[in-house]
Amino acid sequence: MSEREAQQLSDPWGRDEPPAVAESDLEPLPPALAEIERMLEYGEDRPLGPGERLSLPGLADLPEVAALAAEGFEPLPNGLMGFDSAFLPAVWPREHRRWVRDRMPKFGLVSFGEDDLVLGPEMGGDTHQLWLLAREARSLGLAPPPRDRIWLLRSPWPSLRVSSLRLLFAQHRDRNGMGWDTTALMRAAQDLLPRSESELWSLWTGHQADAARAWRDVDRLGPESDTWVKLGLGPHHLDVLAAPMTEGGAGLDPAQTRAWCEVVCMLEQPGDDAVQRIVGWRQAGLPADAPVERLGMVLLDRTPADLTPWLAAGLTADDIAVWQAEDLQQARAWHEAGFGAREARDLVRADATLTPAEARAFDAAGISPSARVRWVAAGFSPDEARAWTDIDIVASEARVWRALDRTIDEARVQRAAGGDVLPAGVELGFGATGSDRDDVSYGVTDPPGTRGAAAQSMPEPYDLP
């Protein structure tokens, strides 16, 4: 055993190795990352605009990472996305690995409802992740991975990128039953790293391997091909997706192609089938900039022919995404009554029996659209909603008065005397989903026959105070 091999066994992480870019040489964060860092420091978040998810900055935007990329190094994903690759640096040839300090802002995406993505702090618990990695390392007789590092690896073989090797390692791990723990990918790498370049290509099969060979054969393997290899698409597939629809293509620009493929290729078999599926959706009338992320289950469960009646009825791709292509008759009725798709869908979820005319009666009573859906869900009429609103009692609170068989006249007297919004002397359990008063759900049971989702979702009746 050489001295270098012995050293790597005793210190596989190279703890004494300096970073590839010294602290004093680090450039300022680029503006997009600096703005996210400022947002996190101030405890802020913000909603993402349509399509913005695909243009968010990442590791490659760090200046020190970009400099190493020019030398052929690829950053391993950090955070939860890189959990399965955390042990690869310990077995990677030292001449083909580097590290830099992890100064990437810890941001992530949070979904509030089916349509809204919010950029905010990364969820998942870094401390717990590091604790798990330390336990895994100890079980192997290794020191825990160093913290606060971004690892960059370079492939020992010119025609195989690190991103491709990770896909190959995962396939090898699964085929050979190497397990699902954090160290499984490392075990696969240990088995494959000693092999030759040609042998690795022969072992790698499937849509992703076919895509990688196609990019290799046209000498276009590089950072720009990594996404397409992962999705199982070669350059010929992109040519079809970019071709005009009159020529049998999908007529998509590069950003639209990625948005469509990241949804359809994850739902369908990648490759030719996915491409023809996208062409079929486009020929059916879905626009190139359709909200494909929100259409995900529609694209999975429906055929292009299923959407033709929706588009013929004047409903848009956004409408179809909101309604999830369910109940065209209902969607058309609300659309013709002048309701937006999301507004109508919220009202129908609040009360499946509600009609557009009944919803408009709340407008006539002067109830705001945001409050209207609460009163509908609680099973109040427009006139009742107006009366309770006039004494500053919201729908969730009015439900308590009604459930206790207390009248609005009693509530008026109590409120006029400066009393609380709930009946005096009543203590109830509650749950809250937000900071508004109407975000509170009290532990009451609605009278039999009460309309609305709030009554329908209540548990079995129990004795009230």
Side-chain angles (χ1 to χ4, degrees):
M1 180 184 300
S2 69
E3 181 179 348
R4 186 178 69 172
E5 291 172 330
Q7 181 186 18
Q8 184 153 3
L9 285 175
S10 62
D11 179 23
W13 303 107
R15 292 179 179 275
D16 295 331
E17 296 175 11
V21 179
E23 189 77 18
S24 59
D25 294 331
L26 290 174
E27 299 178 25
L29 287 175
L33 287 175
E35 174 57 26
I36 292 175
E37 182 77 354
R38 187 209 63 79
M39 181 191 76
L40 297 177
E41 286 179 354
Y42 279 83
E44 299 172 353
D45 57 24
R46 66 174 178 84
L48 292 186
E52 188 182 355
R53 180 186 66 82
L54 298 180
S55 61
L56 289 173
L59 289 175
D61 295 286
L62 290 170
E64 59 272 29
V65 171
L68 288 165
E71 301 177 25
F73 289 93
E74 301 174 50
L76 290 180
N78 62 352
L80 295 176
M81 293 298 294
F83 200 60
D84 67 339
S85 302
F87 286 93
L88 287 183
V91 298
W92 210 262
R94 291 204 173 194
E95 64 271 24
H96 293 297
R97 79 178 190 195
R98 299 287 187 272
W99 71 272
V100 295
R101 179 173 68 83
D102 186 0
R103 58 181 186 136
M104 188 72 183
K106 299 300 185 287
F107 68 90
L109 301 181
V110 182
S111 176
F112 292 100
E114 60 189 29
D115 298 333
D116 300 317
L117 276 179
V118 173
L119 182 68
E122 181 184 43
M123 302 297 184
D126 285 346
T127 300
H128 184 237
Q129 178 186 353
L130 293 169
W131 179 82
L132 288 174
L133 291 176
R135 288 180 68 91
E136 289 278 1
R138 191 172 48 147
S139 71
L140 297 173
L142 297 175
R147 300 188 177 193
D148 300 322
R149 287 187 179 186
I150 294 174
W151 286 100
L152 299 101
L153 307 182
R154 182 169 58 193
S155 173
W157 304 279
S159 67
L160 282 161
R161 289 180 52 75
V162 170
S163 57
S164 293
L165 288 172
R166 291 176 60 234
L167 297 173
L168 170 57
F169 294 162
Q171 185 181 86
H172 189 71
R173 172 199 64 194
D174 299 343
R175 284 180 175 174
N176 291 277
M178 293 182 171
W180 295 96
D181 58 18
T182 311
T183 61
L185 205 68
M186 181 191 75
R187 289 191 287 271
Q190 285 176 307
D191 190 26
L192 293 177
L193 281 170
R195 307 198 188 195
S196 68
E197 188 171 14
S198 60
E199 186 177 5
L200 293 182
W201 275 112
S202 66
L203 288 172
W204 194 17
T205 60
H207 288 289
Q208 293 172 329
D210 293 341
R213 288 185 179 89
W215 289 103
R216 178 199 63 186
D217 292 346
V218 295
D219 197 25
R220 291 173 61 188
L221 273 177
E224 68 282 354
S225 68
D226 290 343
T227 295
W228 308 120
V229 170
K230 185 176 181 180
L231 294 173
L233 299 174
H236 56 294
H237 294 124
L238 302 193
D239 291 341
V240 173
L241 293 171
M245 294 180 61
T246 54
E247 299 176 11
L252 303 176
D253 66 28
Q256 293 164 347
T257 296
R258 183 179 170 190
W260 275 89
C261 292
E262 287 203 342
V263 172
V264 175
C265 291
M266 294 301 180
L267 299 175
E268 306 287 337
Q269 283 293 318
D272 295 338
D273 292 344
V275 169
Q276 291 308 311
R277 182 84 164 169
I278 293 172
V279 171
W281 286 114
R282 291 283 288 119
Q283 290 174 343
L286 284 182
D289 61 353
V292 287
E293 288 182 335
R294 293 192 287 117
L295 282 167
M297 294 310 297
V298 173
L299 300 180
L300 175 64
D301 295 336
R302 311 284 181 176
T303 68
D306 292 331
L307 298 197
T308 301
W310 286 76
L311 297 168
L315 296 165
T316 68
D318 287 292
D319 296 332
I320 294 169
V322 171
W323 288 99
Q324 288 293 289
E326 297 173 352
D327 200 338
L328 173 58
Q329 183 177 356
Q330 184 180 60
R332 183 163 47 194
W334 285 91
H335 175 73
E336 291 173 351
F339 288 86
R342 187 180 298 191
E343 180 185 32
R345 186 66 164 167
D346 287 344
L347 286 167
V348 170
R349 285 175 174 169
D351 181 355
T353 67
L354 188 74
T355 67
E358 289 176 317
R360 286 299 182 208
F362 283 87
D363 296 338
I367 302 300
S368 69
S370 60
R372 174 179 58 193
V373 71
R374 310 271 197 170
W375 290 108
V376 169
F380 287 92
S381 70
D383 290 341
E384 290 170 333
R386 181 70 265 165
W388 287 105
T389 299
D390 287 343
I391 58 174
D392 191 25
I393 288 180
V394 299
S396 63
E397 297 156 355
R399 283 185 65 220
V400 178
W401 289 87
R402 182 181 62 192
L404 298 177
D405 201 23
R406 306 284 181 87
T407 68
I408 191 169
D409 291 332
E410 293 177 89
R412 284 195 186 97
V413 171
Q414 179 172 304
R415 294 294 281 154
D420 194 16
V421 294
L422 296 179
V426 173
E427 295 184 3
L428 295 167
F430 67 90
T433 58
S435 58
D436 292 341
R437 285 162 54 194
D438 234 336
D439 292 325
V440 179
S441 178
Y442 295 97
V444 296
T445 300
D446 297 279
T450 301
R451 292 173 62 178
Q456 300 300 319
S457 63
M458 287 302 295
E460 291 297 319
Y462 54 89
D463 292 336
L464 296 170

